[in-house]
Amino acid sequence: MFGPVMFRFCCCVCLLLFSISSARGESVRPNILWLVSEDNGQQLGCYGDEYADTPNLDRLAEKSLRYKTCWSNAPVCAPARTTIISGMYATSLGGHHMRSGVKLPTGMKLYPQVVREAGYYCSNRYKTDYNFTTQDAGWNDSGKKAHFRNRPDASMPFFSIFNFTISHESKIRNKPHTLVHDPAKAKLPAYHPDTPEVRRDWAQYYDRMTEMDREVGQVLAQLQEDGLADSTIVFYYGDHGSGMPRSKRWPFDSGLRVPLLVHVPEQFQSLAPAGYAAGGVSDQLVAFVDLAPTLISLVGTEPLANMQGTAFAGPYAGEAKKYLFGYRGRMDERIDMVRSVTDGRYVYMKHFYPDRPYLKHIDYMFQTPTTAIWKQMFDEGKLNEVQAKVWKNKPFEELFDLQNDPDEVNNLAGDATHQEKLNELRTQLKSWMIDTKDMGLFPEAEMHRVADGRAPRDVALSGEVDFAALADAAWDATDDQADSQVFVKMSQHPQGVMRFWAARGLTLRHATEALVPMMDDECPSVAIAACEGLVISDDEALKASAQDRLVELANADRYGHFAAIAALNVIDMRIPISDSLRDQLAKLPGSSPEPIRVKGYSDRLLEHVLPAGKR
C-alpha cells in the first residue's frame, strides 16, 4: 500500500536525484563570457613571451585550455567580426572588405538571435563593426554599459562579450605615454628595421597589453564577486594579430594567429573541448568561423545549417580541421586581394594583385611611427632585402615554414623540396574558394553592380555564377602559365566579372592591343582594369587616353563610390601626377554620403595625390 511513509521516501529519493543531476550540470545551463582584446597576437606570458607582463591572463591560462593555432580568418577587425557574428566566412557574404556594408542573406540569423531564442540574456560591450548594412545583430543590450549584471532575472543564463580597446593600433602610437617596457629589450621581427621609433612602438604595444590584461582581470573579478565563476565558461581571444604593420591587415600567420583560452568549470566538463585539461595545450586548429557554432553548441542548440564553421565544444562538436583559411580584401582606401591557408606548420599565400606592393599608403596605417620610418628608410635605400620586401611588388604565390621561419620571410614556393606541400595547400585553397562561393572573386564595384540591391550571398546561391570557372579565371590570370590568347577569348565573355579577370590577365602579360577596346566596357571594373594595363604601356597616345578614362571613372557621382576608389588606386600608383592631372582630379566630386561605412575613402586618395589646399 502506498502510504504517507512511502510517499515521503519517494519524495526524498526524487530530491536526491535532482541534486545529483544538478551537481553534474545536467539540469542547469552554463553562463558564457567572451573576453575580446583588439589588435594583438600571442604576445602573452602564457604563450611563452618573456617580454610580456600579463598576470591575469596567465592565471586564466593555468585553469584553461590554451590553443596553439587559432586564426582570425581576416587580419583586421570588421571582416573578422563579420566572420564571428555570422559563423560564415566573410568572403562568402561579400563582407570581407574593410568597413563595407552588405545585405544579409534572406532569412539568415546571426548568433545572438539564436542564443536568445535558447533562453539566454545576450549583452555586448560594446564594439560591433560588422560589415552589414545594419549593426543590429539581435543583442538584448549592446553599448558601453552592457553587462551581464543588467539581465532582468539573476537566475537567467547569460552570454556576454567584453571588448577591450586599449590594445588597439591607435593606442600603440598615441602620446603622451611614459614607457614601462624597456624598448632595448623588445624582440623585433626580421622584417622591421631596428630604429628607436620601431622599438618604442613595440614597447608601447606591450605596455598596452599589460593595461588590457588589467581590464580583463577586473571583469573576471566581477564574475567572482557575483558568485558566477563556477557556473561560467570563459573564452579569451584577440580579434586579429598585432596592430603593428605587416601583422594587422595582412593574412600572414602574424596577422591571423591570435591567443585563445577556454576555461570550463568543473560542473560543465561534459561540454568541454576534446583534450580539455586545466593548464593544457591544444594542437587542434580552430578559427573565428568556428566561434558561433561552438557558442550555439554550448547553449544546447544545433548550429545553423548555413554556418560554415565547426563547433569545437559542446554536444555538437565536430571533427578537427586540417586547414584554416585567411583573406584580405580592400583595406580602407587601398584595393587588394589575397588568400591564405595553413595546416598549422606551413602557410601558403596566393596574391591576386602581384603587380602591386604589399604595403601601400593607407592614411590610418601611416600614422604609426614604425610605418613612416620604415617607408622613409626604403626610399633612402637603407633597408636590407628582408626589410625592403614589403615595399616591392608581390610574387604570384608564397609558402612559409613556420617551424623554421616564424617571421615568414623566406618564400619556399620555388624550392623543389617543398613542391608537394605547395601543391597540397594551393589545391586546398582554390577548392575552398569554390566550395564556399568566394564573392571576393568579384571586384567590389562589380559585386555591388551584379547584386543590384540583393545580398551578395543570395547572388552566390542563385546559380548565376559558375565559381569553378571564375576561380580558374582568377588563378590563370595571376600566374605565369596561361597564354595571352586565353584572355583575349575571355574578354568576349558575357559576364563582366570574367572580362575583369581577362583584363587582369592581359595587363600582367602586357598585351596592350587586346586591352584597347576594353577601356570602354560597360562594366566600370573591366574598364579600370584595362586602363591600368594601358597606362603602363609604351604608347604615349594610349597612355593619355587611358588616363583621361580613369579620371572619368573616378567620378563617384557617375560611377559609384567603389569604382571611384578603384580608379583612384590606379591613378595614384601608375601615373605621375602632372599639373594638368591635378587640376582634373581637383574637380572631382567628394565622397557621396552613401554607403556610409566607406564614406571618405576616395577623399583620402585624392588628398594623398593632391597638394595641400587643392581639395
Side-chain angles (χ1 to χ4, degrees):
M1 184 174 180
F2 193 83
V5 175
M6 182 60 73
F7 177 79
R8 287 194 296 271
F9 174 77
C10 290
C11 287
C12 289
V13 170
C14 288
L15 286 171
L16 177 62
L17 291 173
F18 178 79
S19 298
I20 294 172
S21 175
S22 296
R24 291 176 177 173
E26 295 171 357
S27 63
V28 294
R29 292 184 292 173
N31 302 310
I32 302 171
L33 174 66
W34 283 5
L35 306 171
V36 186
S37 53
E38 289 203 291
D39 296 19
N40 65 271
Q42 295 180 347
Q43 290 82 24
L44 303 170
C46 59
Y47 275 89
D49 192 325
E50 296 180 357
Y51 189 53
D53 180 17
T54 51
N56 293 293
L57 285 168
D58 296 349
R59 280 192 294 270
L60 178 62
E62 290 174 0
K63 60 179 184 178
S64 303
L65 183 65
R66 174 169 59 86
Y67 284 83
K68 290 174 61 177
T69 306
C70 176
W71 263 22
S72 59
N73 294 118
V76 71
C77 50
R81 290 169 183 269
T82 299
T83 301
I84 295 172
I85 200 72
S86 65
M88 296 182 64
Y89 296 107
T91 47
S92 294
L93 296 166
H96 53 287
H97 298 293
M98 183 58 177
R99 295 276 153 74
S100 58
V102 298
K103 286 188 176 181
L104 287 168
T106 304
M108 179 177 166
K109 293 181 179 180
L110 303 175
Y111 76 69
Q113 298 166 278
V114 181
V115 177
R116 284 182 67 181
E117 289 171 1
Y120 276 69
Y121 177 83
C122 296
S123 66
N124 175 54
R125 186 172 179 168
Y126 54 95
K127 188 165 183 174
T128 52
D129 207 14
Y130 318 126
N131 280 337
F132 301 130
T133 51
T134 176
Q135 297 298 294
D136 182 7
W139 301 99
N140 287 96
D141 190 13
S142 179
K144 293 184 178 181
K145 296 183 179 180
H147 203 293
F148 55 79
R149 288 175 168 174
N150 298 335
R151 63 196 191 282
D153 182 350
S155 66
M156 187 178 189
F158 66 80
F159 166 69
S160 284
I161 294 181
F162 286 78
N163 292 279
F164 305 101
T165 61
I166 191 64
S167 52
H168 186 264
E169 172 187 14
S170 59
K171 306 298 184 182
I172 294 173
R173 62 199 184 209
N174 67 328
K175 304 292 185 293
H177 175 79
T178 302
L179 291 177
V180 178
H181 283 79
D182 182 355
K185 296 180 179 178
K187 181 182 178 182
L188 306 185
Y191 47 82
H192 278 173
D194 190 347
T195 73
E197 296 88 347
V198 176
R199 287 192 169 275
R200 180 183 175 88
D201 283 351
W202 273 110
Q204 185 161 332
Y205 167 75
Y206 275 86
D207 285 355
R208 296 309 191 193
M209 291 290 284
T210 300
E211 294 177 57
M212 176 272 293
D213 177 83
R214 190 177 304 123
E215 294 181 2
V216 167
Q218 291 169 355
V219 177
L220 290 174
Q222 292 172 355
L223 199 68
Q224 190 74 42
E225 291 167 9
D226 292 358
L228 297 168
D230 293 335
S231 60
T232 304
I233 295 174
V234 178
F235 283 38
Y236 161 74
Y237 59 89
D239 75 343
H240 54 74
S242 112
M244 292 292 284
R246 212 222 72 162
S247 291
K248 186 171 183 176
R249 301 181 181 87
W250 266 94
F252 289 97
D253 185 73
S254 65
L256 296 173
R257 187 182 293 254
V258 297
L260 174 62
L261 306 177
V262 177
H263 169 63
V264 182
E266 183 64 31
Q267 66 171 317
F268 297 115
Q269 288 297 297
S270 63
L271 300 176
Y276 184 86
V281 179
S282 176
D283 290 323
Q284 183 175 347
L285 304 182
V286 296
F288 277 8
V289 74
D290 304 321
L291 290 177
T294 301
L295 170 63
I296 293 172
S297 175
L298 287 171
V299 303
T301 300
E302 185 173 5
L304 303 179
N306 66 282
M307 289 186 168
Q308 297 166 319
T310 302
F312 55 84
Y316 297 97
E319 294 184 6
K321 293 182 167 183
K322 294 182 179 180
Y323 306 99
L324 304 177
F325 300 92
Y327 33 84
R328 167 184 164 99
R330 175 180 50 73
M331 293 293 168
D332 292 0
E333 64 266 32
R334 291 298 178 179
I335 290 174
D336 206 341
M337 179 182 175
V338 186
R339 299 291 181 268
S340 54
V341 58
T342 187
D343 62 1
R345 174 174 173 176
Y346 291 92
V347 174
Y348 170 80
M349 189 177 294
K350 169 64 178 173
H351 297 287
F352 292 90
Y353 283 91
D355 50 340
R356 298 183 183 182
Y358 295 83
L359 299 188
K360 298 174 283 294
H361 187 278
I362 295 175
D363 178 75
Y364 196 76
M365 182 178 71
F366 264 74
Q367 293 175 35
T368 300
T370 289
T371 311
I373 192 66
W374 197 2
K375 180 60 164 65
Q376 178 184 324
M377 292 178 70
F378 172 75
D379 292 341
E380 294 171 352
K382 295 179 179 179
L383 300 177
N384 63 36
E385 184 177 352
V386 168
Q387 296 162 351
K389 176 182 175 180
V390 298
W391 303 105
K392 300 177 181 178
N393 286 355
K394 305 181 288 287
F396 290 104
E397 59 184 359
E398 297 183 275
L399 179 71
F400 304 106
D401 178 0
L402 296 176
Q403 181 173 299
N404 297 305
D405 177 27
D407 286 339
E408 300 164 284
V409 296
N410 183 22
N411 183 12
L412 302 174
D415 188 331
T417 62
H418 289 86
Q419 290 307 296
E420 183 176 350
K421 180 58 66 173
L422 178 74
N423 290 331
E424 172 197 338
L425 295 182
R426 180 197 290 141
T427 299
Q428 290 296 327
L429 182 61
K430 186 176 181 182
S431 296
W432 169 78
M433 292 177 69
I434 296 168
D435 294 344
T436 60
K437 303 185 187 304
D438 188 338
M439 288 300 289
L441 289 163
F442 285 77
E444 190 173 16
E446 181 64 4
M447 179 184 74
H448 286 283
R449 190 178 81 99
V450 170
D452 192 23
R454 295 176 291 171
R457 182 62 175 172
D458 287 338
V459 174
L461 297 174
S462 68
E464 300 169 19
V465 183
D466 182 343
F467 279 92
L470 182 53
D472 283 342
W475 283 68
D476 288 346
T478 53
D479 68 23
D480 53 2
Q481 301 301 314
D483 185 82
S484 294
Q485 290 306 307
V486 172
F487 305 107
V488 171
K489 181 178 179 181
M490 193 187 300
S491 68
Q492 303 302 312
H493 198 281
Q495 290 187 338
V497 65
M498 296 293 284
R499 299 197 301 277
F500 168 80
W501 287 111
R504 290 289 297 135
L506 293 167
T507 292
L508 290 172
R509 289 157 181 79
H510 303 285
T512 304
E513 185 176 346
L515 288 168
V516 174
M518 302 182 79
M519 269 200 305
D520 297 315
D521 197 283
E522 65 177 5
C523 169
S525 298
V526 176
I528 293 166
C531 288
E532 182 167 12
L534 293 171
V535 294
I536 60 174
S537 73
D538 295 327
D539 188 313
E540 294 300 325
L542 286 178
K543 289 169 70 172
S545 296
Q547 175 179 308
D548 289 342
R549 177 68 168 140
L550 282 169
V551 173
E552 178 186 358
L553 290 161
N555 188 318
D557 287 350
R558 183 172 180 183
Y559 291 98
H561 194 80
F562 299 110
I565 293 173
L568 287 169
N569 266 265
V570 176
I571 290 170
D572 179 42
M573 290 186 295
R574 304 298 191 195
I575 305 175
I577 308 299
S578 63
D579 289 341
S580 61
L581 179 55
R582 286 192 182 95
D583 290 340
Q584 287 179 283
L585 295 175
K587 295 175 183 177
L588 290 173
S591 295
S592 58
E594 298 293 341
I596 189 65
R597 282 178 60 78
V598 294
K599 181 182 178 182
Y601 288 147
S602 60
D603 284 329
R604 289 186 192 178
L605 287 163
L606 286 168
E607 289 166 3
H608 180 60
V609 300
L610 294 173
K614 269 286 189 179
R615 289 290 291 158

